[in-house]
Amino acid sequence: MKIFTKAQVYLGDKTTAERQNISSTELMERVGTQIFNWIHLRMQGAQVPIHVFCGIGNNGGNGLVLARHLVTHGYNVHTYVVNCSDKRSKDFLINYDKIKNITKNWPTLLNETSQFPEIEQQDVIVDAVFGIGLNKSIDNWVKTLFQKFRASKAFTLSIDIPSGLPTDSAVKDEDGVVWAGYTLSFASPKLVFFLPETAKFTTQWEVIDIGLDPEFLQSTTTEANLIGKHDVLPNYRARDKFSHKGEFGHAVIVGGSYGKIGAVNLCSKAALAVGAGLVTAYVPKCGYIPLQTALPEAMVLTDGNDAHITAINLDFTPTVVGFGVGMGTHEATVNAFELFLKQNSTPLVIDADALNILATNKTFLDLLPKFSILTPHAKELERLIGKWDNDFDKLEKAKLFSKTYEVILVIKGANTITIFDEKLFVNTTGNPGLATAGSGDVLTGIITGLLAQGYHPSVAAIFGVYLHGKSADIAVESFGYQSLMASHVIDYLGEAFIDLFKQPEPQQVSETKEEA
């Protein structure tokens, strides 16, 4: 799914109006009606007080259309206009007149001297105050209103985006942002729904179809894309009946140190479970017996040193090398890594201590093969690219880093973001159960195993992140968040593959649905 920018959404509105020969007022009517249909399907006429707060721009106009339909369908509606400016959009004024003509209770005007309405916890708040076009600071009295929304603990539904939340910059004052329980986003989700600093402003979101021009939606290229099942499925490679292990690559996992051989075990097992034909673990001597015992499917080569890696000597050319899990940063290990990079041309997946070595030895970055995949968590990323001011600054610095060194960055988090070719690929799978030791080692193994099979590095990264999260989503149904372990993610990878081909169950739609 594409994630459109603010400018692209505006262009989509304009293009739709031109190609469908409709006015902006008619498009607003369509939007407000779709919002009403969404609410009506779920509330079925329930007489819960609904407080619709409208701004004086186009998002406020959407709110007025919604409120009018709620009124004509007999809902218990209270409509307010947040009178925060002398400027009003044309379509807002048209719909303001329409709602006045059908109700004796005209929308209540709120300003800095108004007494705010009482809102009970069981009520519903519809936030249609500001949309994506907000470009000025918010008055203190409006902030107080937003704080009243939150204090009421009423269910809050935001239209398009929580009011006060910028689409392309950091939040300067959290008091000036509505905290929504649910957001109905037009055309596509907003990037801010997936960033650590701003995702908290909407608990859930859903995209509603407002009838934008299909050709525009299909042809417009976006910088950010949301990755789900239907985005990764076309990349899946089926196996031929007569295929054999030699066709699916030989992955080498280099890492481990005394007390941290488990990381290599998890990584190697994940590479096998995702389909690599052969896997060899290269570890210090202390890892030989544990790996041969715990993972008989893998081959094991050892360093001459017992506790950590001091040299990397392979008598064959692997398809891909996964580097760094549990490895440590001993001086001899750093030297071995440098020598390996100078001699290597094999594709790489770099994680954990190998990332930390790169961060403290920046000249090593120039030795990385093109399209090497780096998989940092937030702290490792900071060591690589430096501190950032906010999530948007982080993404800009990460894109520059990716471009400068021609590498693929997998920024691990609740919504892992893969950066390739200055584009963002935002993952949709995964859950808090992945906040456990070893889950990153498993991800490195999955991506390494996919690379071994011949997937393009960008596909291996994006597909690997998806499978990793999906496996965790399936496993968590049996184990819960607290009890999910990294090894469970490996165990459920097969079900994650099978899920790619499952058809969604048909949704039950009430026969009493009435459209405006």
Side-chain angles (χ1 to χ4, degrees):
M1 180 185 293
K2 299 175 181 179
I3 299 178
F4 294 104
T5 64
K6 176 170 63 175
Q8 287 174 325
V9 171
Y10 284 142
L11 179 59
D13 287 348
K14 181 181 178 183
T15 302
T16 299
E18 291 174 351
R19 291 180 179 174
Q20 297 180 8
N21 194 27
I22 60 174
S23 66
S24 58
T25 308
E26 290 171 311
L27 182 58
M28 181 175 288
E29 182 69 25
R30 179 192 295 176
V31 171
T33 301
Q34 285 292 81
I35 299 166
F36 166 77
N37 289 335
W38 188 93
I39 293 175
H40 188 42
L41 179 62
R42 287 154 182 80
M43 294 190 66
Q44 294 291 305
Q47 289 301 295
V48 176
I50 303 174
H51 303 269
V52 183
F53 291 86
C54 306
I56 42 75
N58 284 344
N59 205 41
N62 294 329
L64 291 174
V65 175
L66 165 65
R68 172 163 45 86
H69 288 307
L70 288 170
V71 169
T72 58
H73 284 75
Y75 282 91
N76 183 4
V77 188
H78 306 273
T79 310
Y80 312 90
V81 171
V82 181
N83 199 25
C84 53
S85 173
D86 294 331
K87 297 180 180 179
R88 286 152 173 72
S89 75
K90 176 197 71 173
D91 293 324
F92 166 84
L93 291 172
I94 290 171
N95 282 289
Y96 185 66
D97 288 337
K98 285 184 178 181
I99 195 171
K100 285 196 302 182
N101 291 333
I102 66 161
T103 177
K104 296 178 180 178
N105 298 318
W106 289 3
T108 302
L109 292 179
L110 299 178
N111 55 42
E112 58 187 338
T113 63
S114 300
Q115 183 176 352
F116 295 149
E118 290 299 320
I119 302 173
E120 302 296 332
Q121 185 172 349
Q122 66 270 20
D123 296 353
V124 172
I125 297 171
V126 176
D127 157 38
V129 181
F130 303 124
I132 61 175
L134 181 66
N135 57 8
K136 67 183 185 68
S137 59
I138 298 173
D139 294 336
N140 287 332
W141 71 270
V142 179
K143 294 180 185 179
T144 302
L145 177 64
F146 291 172
Q147 292 169 44
K148 184 177 177 64
F149 292 174
R150 192 179 183 195
S152 74
K153 298 183 179 179
F155 175 78
T156 301
L157 175 69
S158 284
I159 304 306
D160 199 23
I161 193 170
S163 288
L165 180 60
T167 59
D168 51 9
S169 62
V171 173
K172 295 179 180 179
D173 183 357
E174 291 190 357
D175 288 339
V177 182
V178 170
W179 292 64
Y182 213 100
T183 299
L184 295 180
S185 187
F186 305 155
S188 80
K190 309 297 185 281
L191 181 59
V192 286
F193 296 169
F194 309 103
L195 304 180
E197 294 172 348
T198 50
K200 62 188 176 184
F201 292 109
T202 185
T203 306
Q204 293 179 280
W205 59 268
E206 182 177 332
V207 173
I208 61 170
D209 181 7
I210 59 172
L212 292 186
D213 179 70
E215 184 181 346
F216 171 84
L217 295 175
Q218 185 175 6
S219 63
T220 301
T221 301
T222 58
E223 177 190 48
N225 296 274
L226 198 62
I227 301 301
K229 176 193 294 191
H230 298 293
D231 301 289
V232 299
L233 183 56
N235 296 309
Y236 173 81
R237 291 187 171 194
R239 293 197 170 187
D240 182 74
K241 176 180 179 179
F242 295 100
S243 58
H244 56 83
K245 64 185 179 183
E247 296 178 9
F248 304 115
H250 190 165
V252 171
I253 305 299
V254 179
S257 55
Y258 187 81
K260 296 180 180 178
I261 298 301
V264 180
N265 181 18
L266 289 168
C267 191
S268 300
K269 188 175 182 180
L272 283 164
V274 84
L278 297 164
V279 173
T280 294
Y282 191 97
V283 292
K285 283 185 179 179
C286 65
Y288 181 76
I289 293 177
L291 278 169
Q292 290 280 259
T293 304
L295 190 58
E297 296 91 346
M299 296 173 284
V300 182
L301 294 173
T302 63
D303 188 274
N305 186 278
D306 189 62
H308 54 260
I309 288 174
T310 60
I312 303 162
N313 299 310
L314 300 174
D315 58 1
F316 64 95
T317 301
T319 312
V320 57
V321 177
F323 216 112
V325 296
M327 189 171 67
T329 56
H330 191 281
E331 183 179 356
T333 305
V334 175
N335 293 334
F337 186 32
E338 180 182 20
L339 182 60
F340 171 81
L341 290 176
K342 287 180 177 179
Q343 300 173 342
N344 174 68
S345 59
T346 300
L348 297 180
V349 181
I350 300 177
D351 187 24
D353 286 319
L355 293 172
N356 294 327
I357 292 173
L358 291 176
T360 54
N361 299 271
K362 293 294 176 64
T363 56
F364 291 9
L365 290 166
D366 295 319
L367 303 174
L368 297 178
K370 187 176 181 179
F371 299 151
S372 292
I373 302 171
L374 282 60
T375 62
H377 57 56
K379 201 62 185 178
E380 291 164 344
L381 180 67
E382 183 183 293
R383 296 184 189 119
L384 285 170
I385 69 174
K387 293 183 180 295
W388 51 80
D389 296 330
N390 53 65
D391 285 339
F392 286 93
D393 185 38
K394 173 181 69 177
L395 291 176
E396 288 303 313
K397 288 182 175 179
K399 285 192 293 183
L400 179 60
F401 180 92
S402 173
K403 181 180 180 181
T404 300
Y405 296 105
E406 296 185 290
V407 297
I408 297 167
L409 274 180
V410 176
I411 304 175
K412 294 183 287 194
N415 289 105
T416 294
I417 297 177
T418 299
I419 298 178
F420 170 69
D421 195 24
E422 298 187 77
K423 293 185 180 296
L424 310 176
F425 300 90
V426 183
N427 189 53
T428 56
T429 59
N431 60 73
L434 286 169
T436 187
S439 64
D441 304 323
V442 172
L443 176 61
T444 297
I446 291 172
I447 295 173
T448 303
L450 291 173
L451 265 180
Q453 296 170 72
Y455 286 90
H456 186 276
S458 64
V459 174
I462 295 165
F463 194 12
V465 169
Y466 174 87
L467 287 171
H468 179 258
K470 187 62 183 181
S471 179
D473 288 342
I474 298 171
V476 81
E477 294 180 10
S478 299
F479 295 99
Y481 295 146
Q482 291 79 8
S483 297
L484 187 71
M485 295 192 298
S487 56
H488 295 146
V489 178
I490 301 173
D491 294 340
Y492 281 81
L493 272 171
E495 292 197 34
F497 273 114
I498 292 170
D499 182 79
L500 289 172
F501 302 96
K502 285 184 178 179
Q503 296 297 319
E505 295 182 4
Q507 294 183 346
Q508 296 292 328
V509 179
S510 172
E511 293 181 0
T512 61
K513 176 182 176 182
E514 181 180 354
E515 296 187 354

